[in-house]
C-alpha cells in the first residue's frame, strides 16, 4: 500500500490527463506549437502507463516460504479504472487534481457512501466556490435525502 500511495503521488499529473481529456479529444486537438504538439502525441500514452503502474495487482508475500493470506485485508478502492489503496487516498487525489475542498468531499463520501463516489465528486465540483454556509446546507440536504431513501 505504501508503494501504491507513493506511485499515486509521483504520477498525479499523469493521471490528471485522463481526468481532463479523452483519447479522442487529444487526437482532435489543434495544438500546433512544438510543446503542445509533443503533449498531444504522448499525453494519452503517459496516462495509460501511469494508470497501469498505479493499478498493478500486488504480488503474493511469503515469509520463509510460507505465503501470507492477505485476502482479509482489503482496504483498496477502485474508481474510474484506477485502484487506490483506500477511499481516503482517492479523496486526496481528486481534491488535489481538481482543486476541490477536501473536507467537503470527505463529508459527502461519508454521507453517500463509497459506492456513490462519482456523485460526491460531481457535487463537490458544482460547489467548488460555494461558501461554507452553502456547503453546510448542501451536506444537510444530501443527508436528509439519504435518510429519506432509507425509510
Amino acid at each position: 500500500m505504501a508503494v501504491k500511495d507513493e506511485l499515486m503521488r509521483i504520477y498525479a499529473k499523469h493521471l490528471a490527463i485522463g481526468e481532463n481529456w479523452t483519447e479522442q479529444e487529444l487526437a482532435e486537438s489543434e495544438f500546433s506549437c512544438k510543446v503542445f504538439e509533443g503533449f498531444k502525441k504522448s499525453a494519452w500514452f503517459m496516462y495509460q502507463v501511469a494508470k497501469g503502474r498505479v493499478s498493478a495487482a500486488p504480488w503474493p508475500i511469503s515469509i520463509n516460504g510460507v505465503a501470507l493470506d492477505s485476502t482479509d485485508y482489503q482496504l483498496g478502492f477502485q474508481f474510474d479504472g484506477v485502484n487506490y489503496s483506500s477511499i481516503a487516498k482517492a479523496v486526496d487525489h481528486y481534491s488535489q487534481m481538481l482543486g476541490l475542498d477536501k473536507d467537503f468531499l470527505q463529508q459527502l463520501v461519508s454521507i453517500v457512501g463509497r459506492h456513490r463516489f462519482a456523485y460526491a465528486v460531481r457535487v463537490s465540483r458544482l460547489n467548488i466556490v460555494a461558501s461554507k454556509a452553502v456547503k453546510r446546507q448542501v451536506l444537510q440536504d444530501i443527508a436528509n435525502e439519504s435518510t429519506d431513501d432509507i425509510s
Side-chain angles (χ1 to χ4, degrees):
M1 286 190 162
V3 170
K4 191 170 289 264
D5 290 345
E6 187 62 14
L7 287 173
M8 287 293 298
R9 187 188 65 74
I10 291 169
Y11 291 118
K13 290 180 182 176
H14 297 96
L15 293 169
I17 293 167
E19 292 301 318
N20 297 315
W21 297 86
T22 65
E23 185 174 16
Q24 183 178 353
E25 287 173 336
L26 279 170
E28 293 173 356
S29 66
E30 296 180 12
F31 294 139
S32 58
C33 73
K34 288 190 178 203
V35 173
F36 288 122
E37 204 170 281
F39 175 78
K40 177 181 175 177
K41 289 179 182 177
S42 63
W44 194 254
F45 174 75
M46 293 182 329
Y47 164 71
Q48 288 179 318
V49 168
K51 183 177 169 183
R53 289 179 179 172
V54 168
S55 298
W59 56 89
I61 299 176
S62 63
I63 299 176
N64 294 330
V66 177
L68 297 177
D69 182 18
S70 62
T71 55
D72 294 339
Y73 188 68
Q74 297 294 328
L75 292 177
F77 174 70
Q78 184 177 27
F79 179 71
D80 202 22
V82 177
N83 293 323
Y84 299 91
S85 62
S86 67
I87 187 79
K89 289 297 179 181
V91 168
D92 287 344
H93 175 73
Y94 276 86
S95 297
Q96 273 188 331
M97 185 178 56
L98 300 173
L100 304 176
D101 179 341
K102 180 180 171 183
D103 294 331
F104 183 59
L105 180 56
Q106 284 175 328
Q107 291 172 352
L108 285 167
V109 171
S110 295
I111 294 169
V112 301
R114 64 192 297 149
H115 64 283
R116 295 190 66 202
F117 187 79
Y119 173 74
V121 170
R122 277 194 311 271
V123 169
S124 191
R125 288 181 85 175
L126 288 171
N127 292 281
I128 200 163
V129 295
S131 68
K132 289 184 185 257
V134 169
K135 289 179 181 178
R136 277 193 302 272
Q137 185 61 50
V138 168
L139 291 169
Q140 185 63 46
D141 291 346
I142 291 174
N144 289 342
E145 284 178 16
S146 295
T147 56
D148 289 346
D149 290 343
I150 293 172
S151 42

